[in-house]
Amino acid sequence: MNKHLVSIKDIKDREEAEKLFRLADDIRAEERKEALNPRYTSGYANALKRKQVASLFFEPSTRTRFSFESAVNKLGGDILTMSNASSSSTVKGESIEDTIRTIMGYADAIVMRHSEDDSVERAARVSDIPVINAGSGTKQHPTQALLDLYTVRQLKGQIDGLSIALLGDLKYGRTTHSLVELLSLYEKIKVFGCPLKGLEMPQQYMDFMGERGMEYTHCNSIEEIPSIVHALYSTRIQRERFEGKDFKDSDYCIDAKKLSRFSDNTLVMHPLPRNGELGTDIDNDPRAIYFKQAHNGVPVRQAVLLTLLDRGNA
Ligand code: CP
């Protein structure tokens, strides 16, 4: 794997992704042993001892920030946290580059979220320590894609042959962009795009899917998605990124009525947070796995941190 994880392209091939997934499996297995036997200590409990990870969130986050911070704590490392852009010197006009050059002297790795598309790329360009993208503008959210497919692999046993419908805001929703790139490392992937009109997947990702031999089918409504699809991946309208008042999330809401047409094996996924595009009336349906997805963020991000900090064999 590259020194940084700015985008899915930093994961060289399928084997590198699988290596991360196997490491996450092993971390979970160790933690289960620890939970069952109070005298047992996970082999990873001290893997990041004396390592400091700076958590720089220039944009709001619940899942990504807390799961990264939980991951560092579980590995015995220390977190230096900035959860609010207004508490950093960027409000005094400091550039991203100077912020990173400074933090390099305090930490061993940087986890960064920012509203600008090229922000994390810029950070990585000047950084001597690993930079992990925790969400950059409309562009990338690689660790979200990793936890999404880790969850599919856990529940379906494999990713090859997956058929997945992407719903909602495919234009500004960075999670779907990273997901498409990660899916391209696997075989026989079918994507059904069901975007809101005007929020279609950018052409570069459409071209990318074509080049990688992924089958893409456009659907005008949820009703056009095949009922046997393996997963419905819903996303919210990214209203913080554009004037989205003309779009209604209720137009593509997955609720109990809409879900009733789908197979018993169709997973309902969502990166969260949700708005009106995902009904709460399906929360107890065994197919609704979005909170499991969010919880898998911890072992997957533990695996990413260990790999980038060369502690994967701890
Ligand atoms: N999925 C996700 O990125 O959630 P947060 O914005 O809460 O981190």
Side-chain angles (χ1 to χ4, degrees), residues 236 239 248-254 274-279:
R236 79 183 163 87
R239 292 184 199 281
K248 283 211 288 293
D249 39 30
S250 55
D251 286 352
Y252 70 110
C253 176
I254 301 174
R274 70 173 144 193
N275 292 158
E277 70 284 352
L278 197 58

Side-chain angles (χ1 to χ4, degrees), residues 91-253:
V91 292
K92 299 180 218 164
E94 186 168 52
S95 67
I96 287 174
E97 285 80 1
D98 282 357
T99 302
I100 298 302
R101 285 185 188 108
T102 305
I103 288 172
M104 265 161 53
Y106 309 147
D108 299 288
I110 292 171
V111 173
M112 178 172 160
R113 169 171 289 191
H114 201 285
S115 59
E116 289 170 22
D117 285 359
D118 65 349
S119 51
V120 183
E121 228 170 301
R122 282 170 56 198
R125 224 173 281 141
V126 298
S127 181
D128 288 343
I129 60 173
V131 174
I132 303 172
N133 189 347
S136 52
T138 64
K139 218 171 168 183
Q140 286 284 335
H141 197 347
T143 60
Q144 177 70 45
L146 285 166
L147 73 89
D148 292 339
L149 289 195
Y150 179 74
T151 309
V152 167
R153 178 182 171 275
Q154 191 181 51
L155 296 172
K156 298 276 186 204
Q158 62 172 35
I159 298 165
D160 287 329
L162 186 76
S163 58
I164 185 166
L166 307 179
L167 297 99
D169 182 353
L170 308 189
K171 182 175 180 181
Y172 298 104
R174 59 195 174 199
T175 65
T176 60
H177 305 158
S178 290
L179 186 55
V180 159
E181 290 189 355
L182 187 56
L183 280 166
S184 77
L185 301 180
Y186 291 86
E187 303 288 327
K188 297 192 171 81
I189 301 297
K190 285 186 186 165
V191 176
F192 296 89
C194 188
L196 283 170
K197 201 167 165 44
L199 298 179
E200 289 84 7
M201 180 84 72
Q203 193 57 43
Q204 71 180 98
Y205 298 103
M206 302 296 291
D207 293 344
F208 176 84
M209 283 191 277
E211 285 158 19
R212 295 301 181 99
M214 293 162 70
E215 205 178 301
Y216 182 86
T217 309
H218 177 82
C219 301
N220 289 305
S221 66
I222 297 179
E223 287 68 28
E224 287 185 14
I225 300 170
S227 60
I228 54 164
V229 75
H230 294 126
L232 297 167
Y233 189 99
S234 173
T235 61
R236 79 183 163 87
I237 301 169
Q238 306 280 301
R239 292 184 199 281
E240 68 274 40
R241 312 219 182 273
F242 71 112
E243 185 63 55
K245 63 178 173 1
D246 296 336
F247 296 95
K248 283 211 288 293
D249 39 30
S250 55
D251 286 352
Y252 70 110
C253 176

